[in-house]
């Protein structure tokens, strides 16, 4: 129906997602049966709902996102056969083995009803556990044996896909699929995505998950960054006004001379 293509102006609606990867060290036995003996890790890169299913050992993924995501394209390193992997149905993920870290391009295409353009983001595929940072210097990555003992490496980024002025029909689809709320407080390790000593603990303690606390912290970080930008803008604007005054004065002096 034509009115379904009407945009709901002034309305924003978002869906929380995570993207990132999990990696484990292959056992010597596993490596023996691989056609590629130089591969050291098995990894999965994925786009998932932010909330984790209860008692699941999967990071995120409580909700099936295919009501608004049509396809996720993962562009792997060119050393992989057919590096462009189109995933047309959930789970939106790619599992592979390999030996090296690289940047994965992730392109999310929305369902046609959305009328939204695809979005692209990047994830640094992480295979090696974070190492403790001492005095600004980073230590060597631990050996494969140590890494195997530490357990799976998790590197996940929380994000919110915001739809502004959505089509009425798309809004109906979205509201019919409310996202599973994140747990209020920390029950499990946190899925650190930046170099942080605590993440060594995180990788030992089981499957991490995102919480509302982390969501709030992220919002606070964004808000602080926004304030810093505004303060900088104000500072430079004042500077500009000052310089323009100076310029005018000089020009006046010049024309008076
Ligand atoms: C590096 N810039 O040098 C990165 C490249 C490539 C990763 C990492 C396996 C592919 C294959 C694979 O792990 N590629 O089987 O050839 O660290």
């Amino acid at each position: 129906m034509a009115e379904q293509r009407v945009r709901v102006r002034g309305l924003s609606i978002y869906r929380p997602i995570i993207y990132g990867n999990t990696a484990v060290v292959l056992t010597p036995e596993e490596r023996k049966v691989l056609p590629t003996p130089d591969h050291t890790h098995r990894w999965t890169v994925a786009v998932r709902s932010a909330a984790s299913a209860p008692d699941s050992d999967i990071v995120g993924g409580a909700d099936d996102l295919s009501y608004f995501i049509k396809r996720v394209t993962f562009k792997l390193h060119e050393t992989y056969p057919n590096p462009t992997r189109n995933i047309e149905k959930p789970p939106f993920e790619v599992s592979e083995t390999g030996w090296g870290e690289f940047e994965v391009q992730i392109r999310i295409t929305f369902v046609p009803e959305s009328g939204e353009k695809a979005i692209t983001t990047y994830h640094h595929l992480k295979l090696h556990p974070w190492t403790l940072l001492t005095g600004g210097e980073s230590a060597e990555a631990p050996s494969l044996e140590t890494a195997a003992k530490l357990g799976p490496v998790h590197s996940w980024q929380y994000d919110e896909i915001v739809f502004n002025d959505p089509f009425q029909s798309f809004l109906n689809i979205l509201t019919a699929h409310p996202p599973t709320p994140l747990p209020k407080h920390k029950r499990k390790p946190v899925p650190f995505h930046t170099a942080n000593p605590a993440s060594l603990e995180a990788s030992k303690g089981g499957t991490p998950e995102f919480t509302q606390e982390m969501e709030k912290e992220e919002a606070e970080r964004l808000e602080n960054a926004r304030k810093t930008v505004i303060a900088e803008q104000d500072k430079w604007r004042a500077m500009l006004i000052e310089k323009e005054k100076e310029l005018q004065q000089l020009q006046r002096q010049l024309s008076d001379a």
Side-chain angles (χ1 to χ4, degrees):
M1 273 201 310
E3 65 260 30
Q4 293 285 290
R5 297 300 286 177
V6 165
R7 285 193 180 274
V8 185
R9 302 263 172 217
L11 189 128
S12 292
I13 181 165
Y14 76 92
R15 285 294 174 264
I17 62 151
I18 57 165
Y19 58 88
N21 82 280
T22 298
V24 290
V25 177
L26 292 168
T27 64
E29 292 72 39
E30 285 174 309
R31 288 183 67 173
K32 261 183 237 145
V33 297
L34 280 184
T36 44
D38 59 330
H39 287 193
T40 49
H41 293 76
R42 184 182 306 283
W43 50 258
T44 299
V45 60
V47 174
R48 297 179 182 150
S49 72
S52 307
D55 306 319
S56 159
D57 59 359
I58 294 171
V59 183
D63 307 328
D64 175 348
L65 301 182
S66 55
Y67 66 93
F68 77 99
I69 295 179
K70 177 173 184 279
R71 173 172 61 243
V72 179
T73 307
F74 298 93
K75 210 161 165 190
L76 309 181
H77 192 265
E78 59 211 16
T79 48
Y80 282 93
N82 313 313
T84 303
R85 309 286 175 88
N86 282 311
I87 310 301
E88 307 273 349
K89 51 182 192 299
F92 296 108
E93 61 184 43
V94 170
S95 292
E96 270 290 356
T97 61
W99 52 263
E101 300 188 346
F102 59 92
E103 203 81 337
V104 185
Q105 191 198 75
I106 303 173
R107 193 174 159 82
I108 302 175
T109 307
F110 301 105
V111 293
E113 303 91 296
S114 72
E116 297 282 339
K117 284 203 200 83
I119 57 171
T120 302
T121 185
Y122 295 85
H123 170 69
H124 180 86
L125 183 83
K126 191 144 180 58
L127 302 185
H128 308 295
W130 282 267
T131 48
L132 292 155
L133 301 169
T134 44
E137 282 171 61
S138 68
E140 286 286 296
S143 68
L144 282 179
E145 290 73 27
T146 310
K149 285 197 200 99
L150 287 171
V153 165
H154 291 285
S155 177
W156 297 94
Q157 173 67 50
Y158 174 88
D159 211 341
E160 290 171 357
I161 302 186
V162 183
F163 302 106
N164 296 314
D165 305 332
F167 284 123
Q168 181 63 63
S169 53
F170 185 46
L171 181 60
N172 295 345
I173 294 174
L174 291 172
T175 51
H177 297 86
T180 299
L182 293 173
K184 280 222 166 58
H185 302 293
K186 190 169 155 221
R187 302 178 302 196
K188 295 177 176 182
V190 291
F192 269 105
H193 56 270
T194 49
N196 190 309
S199 57
L200 273 182
E201 289 307 310
S203 51
K204 271 191 294 193
T207 311
E209 68 176 359
F210 283 85
T211 61
Q212 287 181 19
E213 270 164 349
M214 293 181 74
E215 193 183 6
K216 214 173 114 234
E217 282 163 19
E218 180 84 11
E220 280 166 8
R221 270 195 295 276
L222 284 174
E223 181 55 21
N224 287 338
R226 200 181 64 83
K227 281 189 188 140
T228 309
V229 169
I230 290 174
E232 281 286 302
Q233 274 177 345
D234 287 350
K235 189 180 94 188
W236 290 107
R237 192 174 298 121
M239 184 94 97
L240 183 67
I241 291 170
E242 199 54 39
K243 292 285 169 201
E244 273 173 354
K245 269 193 209 142
E246 240 178 82
L247 179 67
Q248 273 172 14
Q249 247 170 30
L250 287 171
Q251 278 172 341
R252 234 177 286 134
Q253 281 175 16
L254 200 63
S255 59
D256 290 351

